[in-house]
Amino acid sequence: MYFSKKCVKITIVTKDQLEKSDSFLAQGGICVLRDEKDYDAFYEDTMKAGHYENNPDSVRIMINSSKEVISDLISFGVQFEKDGEKFNYTREGAHSKPRILFHKDETGKEITSHLLESARSRSNITLIENFTMVDLIVDDNVCTGIIGHDQNGNYTAIAADYTVLATGGIGGLFKHSTNYRHLTGDALALALKYDINLQHIDYIQIHPTTLYTKKHSREFLISESVRGEGAILLNSKGERFVNELLPRDVVANAIFEEMKKIINIFQIIVIIICNLLIVSFVFTMLRNIVNHGNVIGTIGCLIVITAILLYRKYNKNKKIRLASKLILIFAGIFAVYCAIVSSFMLSGMMNTPQTAFSSGTDGTYEPETVIVLGCKTINGHPSVMLAARLDKAAEYLEENP
């Protein structure tokens, strides 16, 4: 939207700091129509990526206005990578040819920082940070502003002739996400509350590849632009299993299918081992109980019986099923211990039937799908974007060992 510098007063509120937005985090670039010869391919790539559910008029407007948008951004001071006097284009997922302009591996930061600088310089624009919108002010089905609170819990009403809801996505709701945690779809919730029309809310932008971490925090993104520069995806066998430049949903589903294969094999092995150990465990416990009155054996039998009953009765409940499996795994370990204890007892080498025993396991299974970074060169030099992303990845690993 374009407004005169003086004709309209604008107030922008944000839930956190202005720099903490998804726009700032964007690593890849921005697509642009390079020339008229590329129009048909550009249009088809876009429609195909959207499963042809896109609004054709919107796609045409996006493509035809792309050069003008790039010119506007350059006028604000945005600098895109160049090879001499010409722009340096790269590829991203779903694009059949290079048509992406970028700035190192932080295009979002480059664009948003210059736009913010321009907004801060304008007297008719007020920027409010750390303000959480909690409701709309509605009178006779007409929105006249919003209600929210600051970081100290102080509530304020902000009146407006026009209210624009642009609160980002819902990545903060998920356990694993490259988004900031405060992005929780607040505007979507209010839109549903007041029957504001929403479209395609089941479409959630995702990134198939991130740097894996056990921490519950924003994950380090491995952008699809890296795959555009030559990175490939390999499964646990070192096999390439998908065209890395297909649309994100296709790549993500392919990765998920590989993960399921590994997990299924793991589960089968665990079940087989557990079943074998349970048989040994039960016979060992019964022998200890009959021959020696072993209290530990009695408790062990009760644990196994309880786990089996829980698993059979509540096998549709994922949490109970998982808990039962963990108990059975513990029982298997316990069986080995008891077998050793029993052998000592029966041979007269151990005087007491009770001894302390402890066991701990991480319990985490990490799928072995990996990303391998391949690097192509531009005029004999490594790709600027890929080199920058590798440096950032190294810094991240140093800070999060």
Side-chain angles (χ1 to χ4, degrees):
M1 293 185 295
Y2 293 87
F3 296 104
S4 169
K5 291 184 178 181
K6 296 181 180 180
C7 70
V8 177
K9 288 187 176 181
I10 301 171
T11 299
I12 300 175
V13 301
T14 180
K15 204 172 180 182
D16 205 288
Q17 298 174 2
L18 287 165
E19 288 77 10
K20 288 189 175 181
S21 69
D22 275 357
S23 298
F24 248 88
L25 296 176
Q27 293 173 10
I30 180 171
C31 53
V32 60
L33 180 66
R34 297 179 63 171
D35 52 55
E36 292 305 318
K37 294 179 181 179
D38 187 37
Y39 179 87
D40 290 339
F42 196 167
Y43 179 84
E44 176 59 21
D45 289 346
T46 306
M47 295 299 293
K48 185 177 180 180
H51 299 273
Y52 297 95
E53 294 185 25
N54 326 40
N55 184 325
D57 291 335
S58 297
V59 174
R60 294 189 189 96
I61 291 171
M62 183 271 292
I63 295 175
N64 290 325
S65 64
S66 60
K67 286 186 178 180
E68 182 182 354
V69 171
I70 295 299
S71 297
D72 286 342
L73 292 175
I74 293 173
S75 71
F76 283 114
V78 176
Q79 296 183 354
F80 296 105
E81 298 295 329
K82 288 187 174 182
D83 183 5
E85 293 299 317
K86 296 182 179 180
F87 285 121
N88 190 0
Y89 297 91
T90 187
R91 279 183 74 186
E92 290 188 359
H95 289 277
S96 59
K97 59 182 66 177
R99 60 171 72 96
I100 311 296
L101 291 177
F102 63 97
H103 178 87
K104 298 180 180 178
D105 72 327
E106 49 186 23
T107 310
K109 180 179 179 181
E110 174 69 9
I111 293 174
T112 310
S113 60
H114 283 91
L115 294 179
L116 273 176
E117 182 181 352
S118 177
R120 286 184 172 117
S121 68
R122 301 191 179 192
S123 59
N124 65 315
I125 298 179
T126 302
L127 302 172
I128 303 176
E129 297 180 299
N130 301 304
F131 186 92
T132 301
M133 175 184 65
V134 296
D135 206 351
L136 302 177
I137 302 173
V138 179
D139 183 18
D140 195 22
N141 206 36
V142 175
C143 181
T144 58
I146 66 170
I147 298 173
H149 63 79
D150 60 20
Q151 56 190 339
N152 297 318
N154 300 314
Y155 283 80
T156 306
I158 300 177
D161 295 319
Y162 301 95
T163 301
V164 179
L165 301 177
T167 60
I170 60 174
L173 299 175
F174 293 90
K175 180 179 180 181
H176 297 289
S177 174
T178 58
N179 295 169
Y180 284 111
R181 286 293 154 195
H182 62 273
L183 299 176
T184 52
D186 301 1
L188 295 177
L190 289 177
L192 291 171
K193 177 181 177 180
Y194 290 100
D195 294 324
I196 299 171
N197 290 333
L198 295 172
Q199 188 174 18
H200 294 313
I201 58 175
D202 56 325
Y203 276 22
I204 303 172
Q205 179 175 255
I206 51 102
H207 287 287
T209 50
T210 66
L211 193 62
Y212 179 77
T213 177
K214 295 180 181 178
K215 296 183 178 180
H216 187 67
S217 59
R218 186 177 68 80
E219 297 188 3
F220 185 83
L221 170 64
I222 301 175
S223 172
E224 65 184 285
S225 56
V226 175
R227 301 196 296 280
E229 291 295 307
I232 61 174
L233 291 170
L234 304 177
N235 61 17
S236 59
K237 298 178 182 179
E239 300 169 339
R240 193 173 178 182
F241 59 91
V242 67
N243 178 353
E244 293 79 9
L245 291 178
L246 289 172
R248 292 181 186 179
D249 60 321
V250 178
V251 175
N253 282 327
I255 292 174
F256 187 61
E257 288 301 316
E258 290 298 313
M259 292 169 63
K260 285 199 299 185
K261 289 178 186 177
I262 299 171
I263 293 172
N264 287 339
I265 293 173
F266 173 76
Q267 289 177 336
I268 290 170
I269 293 172
V270 169
I271 291 170
I272 292 172
I273 293 174
C274 283
N275 288 335
L276 291 174
L277 290 177
I278 286 170
V279 174
S280 172
F281 177 81
V282 172
F283 278 105
T284 302
M285 292 300 95
L286 289 174
R287 185 173 61 182
N288 278 339
I289 293 169
V290 172
N291 294 337
H292 303 282
N294 195 325
V295 176
I296 295 178
T298 305
I299 296 172
C301 270
L302 292 175
I303 290 174
V304 172
I305 293 169
T306 302
I308 292 173
L309 290 175
L310 281 173
Y311 186 80
R312 289 188 174 181
K313 187 172 182 179
Y314 301 101
N315 57 13
K316 293 183 179 180
N317 186 303
K318 291 183 178 180
K319 291 184 178 179
I320 294 179
R321 188 167 67 242
L322 177 61
S324 300
K325 287 182 179 180
L326 292 175
I327 292 172
L328 292 176
I329 292 172
F330 172 77
I333 298 171
F334 198 52
V336 175
Y337 157 74
C338 290
I340 295 172
V341 171
S342 297
S343 64
F344 276 119
M345 290 168 57
L346 295 175
S347 62
M349 296 176 65
M350 195 173 194
N351 294 325
T352 176
Q354 299 183 20
T355 182
F357 175 77
S358 63
S359 173
T361 178
D362 182 77
T364 301
Y365 176 67
E366 298 179 10
E368 298 178 26
T369 300
V370 297
I371 182 169
V372 177
L373 301 179
C375 182
K376 69 179 182 182
T377 60
I378 300 174
N379 294 335
H381 299 286
S383 161
V384 175
M385 181 180 294
L386 186 53
R389 192 86 304 244
L390 289 171
D391 290 341
K392 292 285 180 59
E395 292 175 6
Y396 181 87
L397 290 174
E398 288 179 2
E399 296 173 359
N400 301 271

